[in-house]
Amino acid sequence: MPRRSAPARGLRSALAQDELEVHFQPKLALDAQSVPGVEALVRWRDPQRGLLAPADFLAGLEHHEVLGELALFVLDRALAQAAEWRRHGAPLSVAVNVTSASLVDESLPASVSAALRRWDVPPGALVLEITETAVLQDPDRAVAVLRDLAAAGVDIALDDFGTGESSLSRLLQFPIVELKIDRTFVHNLAVRLSRGLKVIRAVVDLAHDLGHRVVAEGVEDRATLDHLADLGCDQAQGYYICRPLPAADLPAWALRAPAAADRLFSRPLGTPEPGPAESGGLGGAFRSPAVEIGWR
């Protein structure tokens, strides 16, 4: 028991000492070739170990109640940032990762509504990301909580689709508006063309038929991005587009992107690589971003 409780004590200490922060990874809209959103990723700036990713401090806490505290903390920080961006003319859709501990908490809808009112962010600007694994801890209660949230005007996204115990019945059972294709199907898509393309095409077509938008994660090269655009995927994110950044660095990234991102925004997807003289800046690509909080 002491070994299991040590990570929870460390996380609670980090919360108390204000050592947690959120970084943001831009998401690319493949039709408009603009950046309509970012995914926000929680980090722990440990005084001894430096900046830690979730895998370094959340292991063993999958069902611990402290994750509920963390989720509310991230929700509050995300909405605060969204409110600031909105004040500067950038309306943000903020998506926050919901843990299994939060999904079985029947007070979650009230807590979410209170946070939205506190920061004066409309419910339609919030997206809550869930995984099937989290829902399966108590499906009946989780679905009831999700339906209450959806009734309040909050959007629901199904993350990591295609892994674990994914079931097509979830697409009918959950009140979702967004489906995120797991990075295991996207990574190195250009190398595994035949089967990989067929799987993603089937997922995209099904999701669109049900009225859901589709986001692909883990894009690490231009060829994969081109294939996703050809398949009709709505949005994509990954290291090829941009690594996670602190919120304060996003405007500078939009104006002074590295060469890969510069090429990304300077020509239509699927066209040949430009020469040095053809490569332009991002200009107004960073507009109306959507923000997501994740644990990766």
Side-chain angles (χ1 to χ4, degrees):
M1 183 62 70
R3 182 172 299 179
R4 285 183 58 84
S5 63
R9 288 198 302 269
L11 183 54
R12 283 202 169 99
S13 176
L15 285 165
Q17 299 298 321
D18 197 24
E19 295 171 353
L20 298 180
E21 55 190 63
V22 174
H23 290 192
F24 300 88
Q25 184 178 40
K27 298 167 64 181
L28 179 70
L30 299 184
D31 55 352
Q33 296 185 65
S34 62
V35 176
V38 298
E39 179 177 4
L41 305 163
V42 65
R43 297 289 187 264
W44 178 7
R45 194 169 293 279
D46 188 302
Q48 282 74 45
R49 295 178 290 172
L51 192 66
L52 303 178
D56 298 320
F57 61 89
L58 295 183
L61 297 177
E62 288 80 3
H63 309 302
H64 199 285
E65 62 181 10
V66 71
L67 289 188
E69 301 173 31
L70 177 61
L72 292 179
F73 167 84
V74 175
L75 171 68
D76 192 73
R77 289 293 177 92
L79 291 178
Q81 182 62 63
E84 180 179 346
W85 278 331
R86 293 175 75 85
R87 286 194 296 271
H88 288 84
L92 308 174
S93 177
V94 186
V96 178
N97 191 289
V98 179
T99 66
S100 57
S102 297
L103 276 179
V104 296
D105 182 357
E106 295 175 342
S107 68
L108 179 63
S111 297
V112 169
S113 295
L116 287 167
R117 289 193 300 269
R118 181 163 56 251
W119 294 108
D120 194 24
V121 175
L126 175 63
V127 179
L128 295 180
E129 274 196 26
I130 65 169
T131 63
E132 289 181 281
T133 301
V135 174
L136 290 176
Q137 301 306 311
D138 189 337
D140 292 339
R141 183 179 297 182
V143 169
V145 168
L146 290 174
R147 287 175 178 167
D148 286 345
L149 289 164
V154 175
D155 284 349
I156 307 297
L158 182 59
D159 196 11
D160 299 338
F161 185 77
T163 62
E165 300 181 37
S166 294
S167 169
L168 295 180
S169 66
R170 312 295 182 201
L171 299 181
L172 301 177
Q173 185 181 18
F174 303 160
I176 66 173
V177 300
E178 177 179 293
L179 187 143
K180 301 191 73 174
I181 302 176
D182 189 77
R183 65 187 62 242
T184 57
F185 294 95
V186 177
H187 183 62
N188 289 331
L189 177 62
V191 179
R192 299 178 282 106
L193 281 181
S194 180
R195 300 184 62 155
L197 287 175
K198 289 178 181 178
V199 170
I200 293 180
R201 179 181 290 112
V203 172
V204 170
D205 289 346
L206 176 60
H208 284 169
D209 285 344
L210 294 174
H212 307 324
R213 63 176 174 264
V214 183
V215 179
E217 300 182 284
V219 177
E220 297 186 4
D221 56 72
R222 176 58 191 244
T224 295
L225 197 65
D226 280 329
H227 289 308
L228 291 170
D230 291 340
L231 292 172
C233 191
D234 300 302
Q235 298 179 11
Q237 63 187 100
Y239 280 10
Y240 176 72
I241 299 168
C242 185
R243 291 174 178 267
L245 298 171
D249 293 347
L250 285 177
W253 172 81
L255 294 174
R256 301 188 303 275
D262 192 28
R263 292 194 302 272
L264 183 71
F265 287 89
S266 61
R267 74 189 193 285
L269 291 170
T271 59
E273 292 281 342
E278 299 174 345
S279 181
L282 294 180
F286 186 72
R287 57 181 179 269
S288 301
V291 186
E292 296 187 12
I293 308 302
W295 306 117
R296 288 178 293 278

